[in-house]
Amino acid sequence: VEVTKDVGESVRFRSTEGQVTFQMSDDPVQDPTRVLINNSSVRVGDVVCVPIRVEDFTDLIGMGFILNYDPTKLVFQSLGQFNLPNLNEDFFKLPGAGTLPLGQLEMIWFDFTEQGVSLSDQTVIFEACFLVVDDNGTTDLSFSDVVVIGSDSDPRPFQTRAGTFQLLPEEDQSGDGDFAINTNSLTTQVGEDI
């Protein structure tokens, strides 16, 4: 064995005999569980419910994460559309509760049967609803502190995909300024007001 510095100069190398053993696991490689939010466009003044979707959700007994958002652009309103066994509001710590700051929503779920839960890809496990309060630019909803536990009680690999929301102004309800009359029939005389 020859060892050289990055400039090509040889360096004295001292080796020690040893043995390295590689052992193949009997367990197949587990695809990471994915937690996803789709991108969207939202209008100021609207309440938008954001579906939290999963993929490769196989034989899990636990999951936890923090959903992060910008509280100057979105105001948390409610939770709903629970599609994970036993998941309800009791598994969430709401923004501003205790030491959790505004801009974070925490979920911690556990399968009390410890048998493991499997869900189809693109299953919505819950929706988080927000009031849009800013129409300037974009804002992201992202995940942090993610933990996924398999039915063997071991941590599982995971991936997340944040959602980016294009913030739009309120829809103009005043019309486009054109004048129109819609009628089935109208008869009038010259000089009459209509």
Side-chain angles (χ1 to χ4, degrees), residues 108-137:
I108 299 174
W109 167 80
F110 184 75
D111 172 28
F112 294 109
T113 70
E114 297 185 22
Q115 299 301 306
V117 173
S118 296
L119 300 173
S120 301
D121 284 354
Q122 292 296 313
T123 295
V124 175
I125 58 171
F126 72 92
E127 287 184 345
C129 300
F130 300 89
L131 172 65
V132 182
V133 294
D134 189 352
D135 63 0
N136 187 14

Side-chain angles (χ1 to χ4, degrees), residues 108-171:
I108 299 174
W109 167 80
F110 184 75
D111 172 28
F112 294 109
T113 70
E114 297 185 22
Q115 299 301 306
V117 173
S118 296
L119 300 173
S120 301
D121 284 354
Q122 292 296 313
T123 295
V124 175
I125 58 171
F126 72 92
E127 287 184 345
C129 300
F130 300 89
L131 172 65
V132 182
V133 294
D134 189 352
D135 63 0
N136 187 14
T138 62
T139 192
D140 293 328
L141 272 75
S142 63
F143 300 98
S144 63
D145 300 337
V146 180
V147 176
V148 177
I149 305 295
S151 58
D152 56 3
S153 298
D154 287 336
R156 292 274 180 88
F158 64 87
Q159 294 175 343
T160 63
R161 183 181 70 206
T164 298
F165 292 84
Q166 178 69 42
L167 302 172
L168 304 172
E170 283 185 88
E171 220 167 356

Side-chain angles (χ1 to χ4, degrees), residues 16-139:
T16 304
E17 285 191 37
Q19 182 177 354
V20 176
T21 304
F22 294 93
Q23 183 176 348
M24 298 299 290
S25 170
D26 293 335
D27 295 333
V29 175
Q30 179 73 39
D31 286 334
T33 299
R34 289 184 291 285
V35 187
L36 315 166
I37 299 175
N38 292 335
N39 298 334
S40 187
S41 295
V42 296
R43 293 199 177 276
V44 70
D46 287 351
V47 173
V48 296
C49 293
V50 179
I52 309 302
R53 299 178 189 279
V54 293
E55 292 181 347
D56 289 310
F57 195 103
T58 306
D59 293 325
L60 300 183
I61 62 169
M63 172 183 265
F65 57 78
I66 293 177
L67 179 63
N68 302 289
Y69 65 93
D70 182 343
T72 67
K73 297 178 184 270
L74 302 172
V75 176
F76 174 76
Q77 298 292 297
S78 64
L79 297 164
Q81 300 300 318
F82 302 109
N83 289 313
L84 193 52
N86 301 315
L87 184 64
N88 60 49
E89 289 93 353
D90 295 337
F91 287 85
F92 291 84
K93 190 172 184 183
L94 301 180
T99 59
L100 194 67
L102 293 176
Q104 292 188 337
L105 172 69
E106 185 175 16
M107 183 204 79
I108 299 174
W109 167 80
F110 184 75
D111 172 28
F112 294 109
T113 70
E114 297 185 22
Q115 299 301 306
V117 173
S118 296
L119 300 173
S120 301
D121 284 354
Q122 292 296 313
T123 295
V124 175
I125 58 171
F126 72 92
E127 287 184 345
C129 300
F130 300 89
L131 172 65
V132 182
V133 294
D134 189 352
D135 63 0
N136 187 14
T138 62
T139 192

Side-chain angles (χ1 to χ4, degrees), residues 188-193:
T188 184
Q189 300 289 326
V190 174
E192 281 188 16
D193 292 334

